[in-house]
Amino acid sequence: EADIYQTPRYLVIGTGKKITLECSQTMGHDKMYWYQQDPGMELHLIHYSYGVNSTEKGDLSSESTVSRIRTEHFPLTLESARPSHTSQYLCASSESATGVKAFFGQGTRLTVV
Amino acid sequence: RKEVEQDPGPFNVPEGATVAFNCTYSNSASQSFFWYRQDCRKEPKLLMSVYSSGNEDGRFTAQLNRASQYISLLIRDSKLSDSATYLCVVNQAGTALIFGKGTTLSVSS
């Protein structure tokens, strides 16, 4: 089993609130990713990081921000949640070399009301 | 053109059937390739890596054709538990994993 954890698993929150989705891994992986996925739809990369102090935006424009102050931790923040942010957010990590597999956390299912 | 394209689904097959999924990728610099499986409302999990020489894991066989930029997954003797969405994934040096839209398989008794 992968040692990558996301909290909370489920979050229902009101419009305008600031939220932080947590993602931690204990495998020492340099690469970490955030994907967004609506039910029955494809995964969209929204942020990724190659190591401490490295963050990049993904293919899908997102109003969220990320930080990578520690190798094991890659939180995602929404400053002001909106109903359009309702989705599942999946965090993943992998070693730096290509050809190695990525492990996913169980996801955070966010509902903004 | 999307970077990773997969067969449209869903594939509805009876138990015991053989089913094949196809995937094409657009960037010839892609270096590593995978098939992931995602169950409904769950996170994706690695099914198998895909190597140029082709590789097999039990009932599953993956093939890669770099010249055609084409990846395939063959499932033999389908089981009910194989019902899931199968995601084709491509990785290039210096970029993140790129996922296809996925192909849904439904195996019925």
Side-chain angles (χ1 to χ4, degrees):
Chain A
E1 286 294 317
D3 293 322
I4 179 166
Y5 308 99
Q6 289 186 242
T7 57
R9 290 287 308 280
Y10 304 93
L11 178 63
V12 180
I13 201 162
T15 297
K17 300 291 187 183
K18 177 180 178 179
I19 57 173
T20 296
L21 308 185
E22 302 287 350
C23 177
S24 295
Q25 50 93 7
T26 58
M27 298 173 281
H29 287 169
D30 287 324
K31 287 185 175 178
M32 295 190 74
Y33 316 87
W34 276 103
Y35 291 88
Q36 184 175 342
Q37 186 179 37
D38 293 324
M41 303 299 284
E42 64 192 292
L43 284 138
H44 289 286
L45 179 70
I46 50 175
H47 297 282
Y48 59 101
S49 167
Y50 289 143
V52 171
N53 295 325
S54 148
T55 61
E56 300 284 343
K57 287 190 178 291
D59 304 322
L60 183 68
S61 174
S62 174
E63 293 163 347
S64 58
T65 58
V66 292
S67 62
R68 189 89 184 275
I69 298 171
R70 302 198 317 265
T71 298
E72 61 271 20
H73 196 213
F74 191 39
L76 180 145
T77 298
L78 277 164
E79 290 292 331
S80 179
R82 294 208 301 270
S84 60
H85 296 139
T86 295
S87 189
Q88 173 158 263
Y89 294 83
L90 288 156
C91 179
S93 73
S94 68
E95 295 175 15
S96 290
T98 55
V100 296
K101 59 185 176 180
F103 295 93
F104 279 83
Q106 291 184 298
T108 293
R109 199 168 295 278
L110 172 67
T111 303
V112 183
V113 298
Chain B
R1 181 184 173 191
K2 288 188 68 68
E3 289 198 57
V4 179
E5 298 205 53
Q6 294 187 238
D7 278 348
F11 283 50
N12 299 304
V13 303
E15 274 186 291
T18 295
V19 60
F21 301 141
N22 301 318
C23 170
T24 57
Y25 59 96
S26 61
N27 191 329
S28 59
S30 299
Q31 295 186 331
S32 50
F33 311 89
F34 310 92
W35 283 101
Y36 276 71
R37 169 190 170 133
Q38 186 174 25
D39 292 300
C40 187
R41 301 177 79 83
K42 298 282 191 180
E43 75 275 21
K45 292 188 177 180
L46 179 71
L47 178 66
M48 58 198 302
S49 301
V50 187
Y51 304 115
S52 297
S53 54
N55 48 298
E56 190 174 303
D57 182 3
R59 297 180 293 108
F60 299 83
T61 300
Q63 297 276 357
L64 167 64
N65 184 322
R66 284 188 183 270
S68 303
Q69 295 178 203
Y70 170 91
I71 305 160
S72 66
L73 176 68
L74 184 76
I75 305 176
R76 291 181 300 278
D77 189 22
S78 298
K79 311 289 184 192
L80 293 174
S81 57
D82 293 334
S83 297
T85 297
Y86 291 83
L87 303 165
C88 177
V89 185
V90 171
N91 193 13
Q92 304 150 24
T95 68
L97 294 171
I98 308 297
F99 283 77
K101 280 189 174 183
T103 302
T104 299
L105 172 65
S106 177
V107 182
S108 56
S109 57

